[in-house]
């Protein structure tokens, strides 16, 4: 009907095949991450996402070329990349520096290279087998206020928290009332003060204690791990209700 054919959830292609948003969100959506991790250009190869593994492609001159990526990002902040090729060649390796990473550092063969967030860092040089690239991204926890979406905090007293690319959430299984208003203690740079929660009560990627101005804290986990029981036991929220003085 209207949603499927009129808006775009269901679309027929020129060859009479069809495609829709369910496929994009599901299997095809997951597949796009791997496909778009590295893309080729006339001058070289660009890295968009930093997942562990080996990317094999060709250099501009046509020789076989690989990038070996070792990392547990986004759990931790460091991505190590090793260059593998048979003959030295000058070309570009581009690195996507995320806009959310306020302070990023990149090293080529242990020498720091300046980069700009929200843009590609284009490393054009003569590459040789065994060259290394180290990328360190900023995983400090940052608050997201309703103003970012055109709504005032006075009208909507909530805040969200993200740690790098990961949204954080409260979950009933963490043992505190998720409806209880919270406050945030911020450091001198405006980031949220947190500590690692070493013994979360369920499996998750990351668990943190968020510090409040009175030095009490409340626990959060990565959004993907929250709400997994599909009942009130794991009732969760990503927009956290704030007290009147929500930041220090």
């Amino acid at each position: 009907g209207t949603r499927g054919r009129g808006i775009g959830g269901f679309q027929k292609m020129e060859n009479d095949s069809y495609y829709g948003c369910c496929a994009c969100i599901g299997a095809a959506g997951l597949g796009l991450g791997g496909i778009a991790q590295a893309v080729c250009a006339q001058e070289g190869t660009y890295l968009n996402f930093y997942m562990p593994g080996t990317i094999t492609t060709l250099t501009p001159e046509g020789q076989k070329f690989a990038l070996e990526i070792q990392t547990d990002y986004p759990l931790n902040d460091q991505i190590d990349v090793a260059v593998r090729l048979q003959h030295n060649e000058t070309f570009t390796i581009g690195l996507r520096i995320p806009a959310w990473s306020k302070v990023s550092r990149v090293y080529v063969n242990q020498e720091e290279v300046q980069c700009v967030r929200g843009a590609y860092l284009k490393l054009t040089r003569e590459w040789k087998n065994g060259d290394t690239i180290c990328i360190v991204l900023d995983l400090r926890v940052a608050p997201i206020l309703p103003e970012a979406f055109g709504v005032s905090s006075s009208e909507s007293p909530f805040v969200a928290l993200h740690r790098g690319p990961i949204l954080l959430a409260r979950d009933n299984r963490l043992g505190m009332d998720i409806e209880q208003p919270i406050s945030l203690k911020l450091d001198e740079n405006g980031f949220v003060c947190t500590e690692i929660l070493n013994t979360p009560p369920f499996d998750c990627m990351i668990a943190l204690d968020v510090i409040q101005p009175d030095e009490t804290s409340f626990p959060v986990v990565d959004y993907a791990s929250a709400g997994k029981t599909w009942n009130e036991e794991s009732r969760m929220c990503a927009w956290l209700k704030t007290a009147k003085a929500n930041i220090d």
Side-chain angles (χ1 to χ4, degrees), residues 169-182:
R170 303 184 77 178
D171 187 301
N172 272 346
R173 293 173 293 172
L174 295 170
M176 293 186 69
D177 180 8
I178 66 171
E179 296 286 350
Q180 181 181 1
I182 58 94

Side-chain angles (χ1 to χ4, degrees), residues 10-83:
F10 175 89
Q11 290 292 312
K12 279 215 167 190
M13 305 301 174
E14 292 180 359
N15 62 358
D16 284 334
S17 64
Y18 61 89
Y19 206 72
C21 56
C22 289
C24 294
I25 295 168
L30 290 173
L32 285 174
I35 292 172
Q37 180 172 4
V39 295
C40 293
Q42 187 174 2
E43 67 274 14
T45 298
Y46 287 76
L47 289 180
N48 288 312
F49 307 123
Y50 301 108
M51 295 177 276
T54 300
I55 297 166
T56 302
T57 183
L58 298 176
T59 67
E61 293 183 4
Q63 71 164 311
K64 191 174 180 180
F65 155 62
L67 294 171
E68 296 176 355
I69 302 174
Q70 293 186 350
T71 186
D72 60 359
Y73 165 84
L75 181 59
N76 290 306
D77 60 2
Q78 183 167 322
I79 302 112
D80 293 308
V81 183
V83 177

Side-chain angles (χ1 to χ4, degrees), residues 25-144:
I25 295 168
L30 290 173
L32 285 174
I35 292 172
Q37 180 172 4
V39 295
C40 293
Q42 187 174 2
E43 67 274 14
T45 298
Y46 287 76
L47 289 180
N48 288 312
F49 307 123
Y50 301 108
M51 295 177 276
T54 300
I55 297 166
T56 302
T57 183
L58 298 176
T59 67
E61 293 183 4
Q63 71 164 311
K64 191 174 180 180
F65 155 62
L67 294 171
E68 296 176 355
I69 302 174
Q70 293 186 350
T71 186
D72 60 359
Y73 165 84
L75 181 59
N76 290 306
D77 60 2
Q78 183 167 322
I79 302 112
D80 293 308
V81 183
V83 177
R84 303 297 181 202
L85 72 169
Q86 188 171 0
H87 306 292
N88 293 5
E89 184 177 331
T90 298
F91 58 94
T92 298
I93 296 177
L95 308 174
R96 185 182 67 88
I97 307 299
W100 52 255
S101 183
K102 299 294 179 66
V103 180
S104 303
R105 301 190 303 277
V106 176
Y107 303 87
V108 177
N109 295 334
Q110 301 183 339
E111 293 187 8
E112 188 166 5
V113 179
Q114 296 302 309
C115 61
V116 177
R117 66 189 183 101
Y120 283 102
L121 171 61
K122 299 180 182 181
L123 301 171
T124 303
R125 53 179 282 144
E126 183 182 57
W127 295 99
K128 64 181 184 300
N129 187 55
D131 281 343
T132 61
I133 302 170
C134 176
I135 306 154
V136 182
L137 299 178
D138 192 347
L139 297 186
R140 290 176 291 181
V141 176
I144 306 172

